[in-house]
Amino acid sequence: MSLRIATFNIENLMSRFEFSGFRNQLKQDRVLRLFEVRSEAEYQRLEEARTIAHTDDTRQLSALAIAECDADILCLQEVDDMAGLQAFEYGYLFKMVGSGYRRKYLIEGNDTRGIDVAVLMREETRDGEPIVCTNVRSHAALTYADLNLHTPALAALSLLPSDRIFKRDCLELDITVGGRPFTLYVVHFKSMGPARDGLDGRSATMPVRRAEALAVRRIIEDRFGAGGGQAAFIIAGDMNDYQDRIDVTGDRRGGYAFQPRAESESALDVFSHDGFAENIVRRRPEIDRWTLFHSRGPQERHLCQLDYLWLSQALARSNPDAVPEIIRQGQPFRTLFPPGQAVERFPRTGWDRPKASDHCPVVATLDL
């Protein structure tokens, strides 16, 4: 009996307009900077038109990426609200996959922009086995003090013991597939952000992500015992950190070079250092694990994995040959692919936009 499960940061599936760019140029879309905008009302009118025109292409591409996954259970990040999720499923996904994802789960989390994690599920697998969610629990209210996870490094970031651990949530779902149970944890860890205090953005914010990973592990161990016991669980989502990356150098005329590099430290070491869970994307070749192309211009470019399916020891042992797929057809043409990895992009994909997302979906077929 097999189950296909995917995770996808769908990138700002919003159901509202964002007008703060009129006063804050850092939040203003680049195309509007080309025009003289005389009033806030005029800015709002132009921003509405730009957003609507851009969003239709983007969501067609997002839906194509999801259809390519062909997953029974889909974990999403950066979803505004249930109304927006339902509108996307009905207006875009339904046209490509039919009435596949009838069951949807979303609980409002802690993100200041209002983006949440969500789960979409089919009523049964491709093999006809029923998929049933028996319980859903949010852990958004947990504080550092609740789990005794506050540290001097967090205090240096002006975070208090009473502050909430998860920057979005850790959404816990108990699911049975054909009567066989497993537990799914869906997360979206703290983003890396800009450099601060002499540290790059990743290093500066790593204490926050480490605390989030420790909290996920504590939640699992408090329920199933040390090391997760023999439980079948999956930790899925955008974790905004990596244990290795591929540095990209060179240029279009002279050619590009792709150099893998292991990181000495990662917040995700919390899961891997003692075999608590396995990142099964690491079963792919080192050069072929990336789910995001990061670029701040020619001087700072790399490919890395930010999107994960971590399997419990029990699930990893029972799926020794499961190798995830990474759906890259929705990546924009500015993304630099290592040799031999190029794919045919979805129709209407642009140089930078439209695109399915800045992230690539990750999907795996598992035997429960």
Side-chain angles (χ1 to χ4, degrees):
M1 179 184 64
S2 65
L3 171 79
R4 279 182 70 81
I5 183 167
T7 183
F8 184 28
N9 181 326
I10 198 169
E11 190 182 13
N12 294 327
L13 181 60
M14 308 300 283
S15 59
R16 54 202 154 88
F17 296 105
E18 169 60 74
F19 297 128
S20 61
F22 179 73
R23 291 183 171 81
N24 182 353
Q25 283 206 345
L26 293 176
K27 296 184 177 181
Q28 187 175 121
D29 188 81
R30 61 181 182 245
V31 71
L32 291 185
R33 296 187 188 184
L34 298 174
F35 298 91
E36 182 181 355
V37 181
R38 296 180 177 83
S39 68
E40 186 168 4
E42 183 180 7
Y43 175 82
Q44 291 186 4
R45 177 178 59 82
L46 292 170
E47 177 62 15
E48 287 172 350
R50 182 200 69 80
T51 300
I52 290 171
H54 169 66
T55 298
D56 183 53
D57 278 339
T58 296
R59 294 314 160 203
Q60 289 186 62
L61 295 170
S62 301
L64 280 168
I66 291 171
E68 191 71 19
C69 290
D70 194 25
D72 302 310
I73 298 177
L74 175 65
C75 309
L76 294 178
Q77 300 86 51
E78 295 200 13
V79 178
D80 195 3
D81 55 25
M82 182 60 79
L85 182 60
Q86 290 175 331
F88 169 69
E89 192 271 338
Y90 179 76
Y92 293 86
L93 265 186
F94 177 77
K95 296 181 183 300
M96 297 180 188
V97 302
S99 55
Y101 297 103
R102 291 180 178 271
R103 295 174 180 166
K104 307 173 186 67
Y105 303 90
L106 183 152
I107 298 175
E108 187 174 346
N110 300 322
D111 189 89
T112 55
R113 291 197 295 133
I115 54 174
D116 300 308
V117 299
V119 176
L120 280 68
M121 290 172 31
R122 300 184 188 274
E123 293 182 314
E124 59 182 34
T125 68
R126 291 293 187 186
D127 299 330
E129 297 287 350
I131 304 172
V132 179
C133 180
T134 59
N135 186 53
V136 181
R137 179 186 303 174
S138 167
H139 295 282
L142 280 177
T143 68
Y144 295 112
D146 289 335
L147 297 184
N148 194 29
L149 290 177
H150 196 258
T151 63
L154 293 168
L157 295 172
S158 301
L159 293 170
L160 304 174
S162 58
D163 286 336
R164 294 183 174 188
I165 298 173
F166 294 110
K167 299 305 127 183
R168 284 89 183 185
D169 196 359
C170 173
L171 194 63
E172 179 180 1
L173 298 91
D174 291 322
I175 300 169
T176 63
V177 180
R180 299 186 182 185
F182 79 99
T183 303
L184 176 62
Y185 298 88
V186 186
V187 299
H188 184 186
F189 287 172
K190 167 70 177 174
S191 60
M192 297 185 196
R196 57 180 293 175
D197 300 328
L199 297 174
D200 62 80
R202 176 173 177 265
S203 299
T205 53
M206 192 176 295
V208 182
R209 288 187 298 280
R210 182 180 292 112
E212 290 180 298
L214 285 167
V216 173
R217 179 162 179 166
R218 183 77 60 81
I219 289 166
I220 294 172
E221 292 189 319
D222 284 350
R223 179 174 177 183
F224 297 114
Q230 295 302 307
F233 64 80
I234 301 171
I235 311 169
D238 173 6
M239 301 188 183
N240 273 314
D241 209 342
Y242 48 84
Q243 294 177 306
D244 49 60
R245 75 184 207 189
I246 304 165
D247 290 331
V248 183
T249 56
D251 55 36
R252 184 179 303 165
R253 177 171 296 182
Y256 296 103
F258 299 86
Q259 181 61 49
R261 188 185 83 185
E263 296 293 330
S264 60
E265 181 183 18
S266 169
L268 306 180
D269 297 342
V270 168
F271 296 148
S272 64
H273 80 278
D274 60 353
F276 171 74
E278 181 185 346
N279 166 23
I280 57 171
V281 172
R282 291 182 73 89
R283 297 176 180 181
R284 296 173 65 94
E286 184 180 25
I287 197 75
D288 197 18
R289 300 169 183 164
W290 61 274
T291 66
L292 179 132
F293 174 57
H294 170 84
S295 175
R296 294 187 183 274
Q299 303 307 312
E300 185 181 343
R301 295 180 303 208
H302 66 258
L303 297 159
C304 61
Q305 181 193 358
L306 297 187
D307 305 275
Y308 293 84
L309 293 171
W310 291 85
L311 302 191
S312 66
Q313 295 179 27
L315 267 184
R317 283 196 302 269
S318 62
N319 288 274
D321 300 320
V323 179
E325 303 164 41
I326 301 175
I327 309 302
R328 298 182 176 133
Q329 293 95 316
Q331 281 288 291
F333 281 91
R334 70 177 179 86
T335 299
L336 300 175
F337 283 66
Q341 294 183 22
V343 294
E344 183 178 352
R345 306 303 210 281
F346 295 136
R348 294 181 63 81
T349 299
W351 177 81
D352 180 54
R353 62 187 185 192
K355 59 183 181 295
S357 169
D358 51 347
H359 293 248
C360 301
V362 177
V363 59
T365 299
L366 302 175
D367 182 0
L368 296 180

